Amino acid sequence: MLERTLARYLTEEQRDKGVITADLKFLIEVVSRACHAISIAIGKGGLGGVLGEAGSDNVQGEAQKKLDVLSNEILLEANEWGGHLAAMASEEMDLPHLVPHRYPQGEYLLLFDPLDGSSNIDVNVSIGTIFSVLRCPEGADLSSPEASENAFLQPGTAQVAAGYAVYGPTTLLVLTVGDGVVAFTLDREQGHFVLTQENVRIPADTKEFAINMANQRFWEAPVRRYVGEMQAGREGPLAKDYNMRWVASMVADVHRIMTRGGIFMYPMDDKVRDKGGKLRLMYEANPMAFLVEQAGGAATDGRRRILDIIPDRLHQRVPVILGSRNEVDRVTRYHAA
Ligand code: AHG
Ligand code: MN
Ligand code: MN
């Protein structure tokens, strides 16, 4: 049987369905090649000298790992020459990266978390890459990296594509162009991504939750109530036993939810309150919220739909509650009570 590759899927979305432009098709193919390159670097591990600290901090004040820096460079280099982008922004860069003048400018903006789950790199646990694509507004000021930041400050509803790669036992690329969610598996011998799951759907109900329980004493009342009710199990108000999973790579936790349902929470807590939350809106929460909604799930910050938030800063943080719709609705209701 003829394999349905990522290239073929994108060609059909462009040529047959008219859902994406030729430039967006090219952009996603370039991002997939960068993810393939990151996957190869990760796969070398200690043999490739890619493990350990980079010895620098990013704009969020977090210590960068070598793979954070390397993945960021791979994505920048892969994407700057093609003529499909106006600028890129990343967790690992204070300011946006403008496409150098020697290359043509395109109509899209690309945002990414080049390496998600940094604390899991050195312990050989699944990590990933998250990306989000926006249109560059007409007449946007791209005269300097500082000025270009404004062009990125669009709500998640404006995304034209989003996806993640998860580097686990297999490397997967999970993608939405606003036409449902599809998953591709990297064929390492052939060197390309092959469609392995069409129409990914998140079940509306679940018995599995993901939250960092070590932060329990810092949570707000609605999350304490909800997690308490889940822990009470069959004898409690939710009348069923729950199980807990926390990989601590958002990509891996979200991928599990894409596969069999669940609820993921990095809620507001007293430890992260002054920063606005733990996870970043533009390149973690928004792309994941777009994917989750496209798969039939829901994503809120406890009070608002994530995709409706109008950002005021590139590196803005936000509380995140996402996954199986009925569970997300419940904990969001508890915040309103
Ligand atoms: P990153 O590695 O890109 O900084 O993101 C890490 C994030 C996310 O992947 C994960 O869900 C969360 O941080 C883990 O937080 P804890 O360390 O509190 O478990
Ligand atoms: Mn991350
Ligand atoms: Mn990261």
Side-chain angles (χ1 to χ4, degrees):
M1 198 191 69
L2 196 59
E3 279 177 345
R4 205 147 162 237
T5 59
L6 174 66
R8 182 165 174 193
Y9 171 80
L10 293 172
T11 298
E12 288 168 1
E13 289 298 300
Q14 184 220 333
R15 191 187 57 199
D16 305 342
K17 290 188 164 181
V19 172
I20 58 171
T21 63
D23 268 6
L24 184 54
K25 167 184 181 304
F26 180 69
L27 187 165
I28 295 166
E29 287 195 272
V30 171
V31 169
S32 81
R33 282 199 283 277
C35 291
H36 184 183
I38 294 168
S39 169
I40 289 170
I42 290 168
K44 290 197 164 76
L47 302 176
V50 296
L51 303 183
E53 306 291 328
S56 48
D57 285 350
N58 67 11
V59 59
Q60 346 258 348
E62 299 160 341
Q64 290 175 305
K65 301 278 183 181
K66 283 184 193 168
L67 266 175
D68 289 321
V69 176
L70 180 66
S71 305
N72 192 57
E73 281 167 6
I74 289 173
L75 280 155
L76 288 180
E77 277 174 28
N79 279 287
E80 67 176 8
W81 54 270
H84 53 287
L85 285 180
M88 290 177 257
S90 158
E91 180 191 348
E92 305 304 337
M93 301 185 301
D94 192 353
L95 293 168
H97 175 93
L98 297 176
V99 168
H101 288 302
R102 62 183 180 279
Y103 302 121
Q105 308 281 311
E107 60 173 311
Y108 294 105
L109 300 170
L110 175 64
L111 297 106
F112 43 81
D113 174 355
L115 209 290
D116 174 68
S118 302
S119 74
N120 283 322
I121 297 171
D122 294 344
V123 293
N124 199 26
V125 170
S126 292
I127 50 185
T129 297
I130 310 171
F131 67 94
S132 161
V133 186
L134 295 166
R135 254 188 217 98
C136 189
E138 200 100 7
D141 184 353
L142 301 174
S143 59
S144 67
E146 288 83 356
S148 74
E149 194 170 317
N150 260 327
F152 288 89
L153 303 183
Q154 306 178 39
T157 48
Q159 292 173 102
V160 293
Y164 60 79
V166 51
Y167 312 110
T170 54
T171 288
L172 302 177
L173 184 76
V174 178
L175 173 72
T176 185
V177 292
D179 184 25
V181 178
V182 281
F184 302 86
T185 301
L186 178 64
D187 182 327
R188 294 183 202 276
E189 280 71 45
Q190 304 281 348
H192 57 216
F193 284 94
V194 178
L195 186 75
T196 40
Q197 204 187 343
E198 230 170 330
N199 193 21
V200 175
R201 302 300 293 171
I202 299 173
D205 292 294
T206 185
K207 291 180 173 180
E208 211 160 54
F209 70 96
I211 192 166
N212 185 342
M213 288 294 297
N215 295 329
Q216 187 161 22
R217 70 188 190 283
F218 303 114
W219 297 338
E220 293 180 335
V223 172
R224 282 175 190 247
R225 172 184 171 193
Y226 176 59
V227 174
E229 288 178 359
M230 289 191 289
Q231 286 176 301
R234 207 190 297 268
E235 289 77 40
L238 304 184
K240 56 181 170 178
D241 290 330
Y242 282 77
N243 198 6
M244 194 198 84
R245 288 287 182 274
W246 183 252
V247 182
S249 295
M250 186 192 200
V251 156
D253 282 309
V254 169
H255 188 67
R256 185 186 56 255
I257 290 169
M258 286 288 183
T259 308
R260 64 180 188 212
I263 181 166
F264 169 93
M265 290 174 281
Y266 216 115
M268 180 57 80
D269 71 39
D270 289 339
K271 249 172 41 180
V272 296
R273 189 174 306 282
D274 53 340
K275 295 192 210 155
K278 159 95 180 191
L279 298 171
R280 279 58 55 111
L281 175 62
M282 304 289 300
Y283 40 81
E284 290 179 319
N286 269 344
M288 290 311 201
F290 188 19
L291 286 157
V292 164
E293 285 199 6
Q294 283 287 316
T300 75
D301 71 350
R303 294 167 173 94
R304 298 169 293 178
R305 180 185 178 215
I306 296 273
L307 294 181
D308 285 335
I309 297 172
I310 312 280
D312 50 41
R313 303 189 303 289
L314 185 59
H315 298 289
Q316 184 167 333
R317 294 177 189 249
V318 67
V320 175
I321 297 170
L322 60 76
S324 290
R325 174 167 292 280
N326 292 340
E327 298 289 333
V328 174
D329 286 352
R330 173 180 293 280
V331 63
T332 304
R333 269 200 316 275
Y334 289 0
H335 281 78

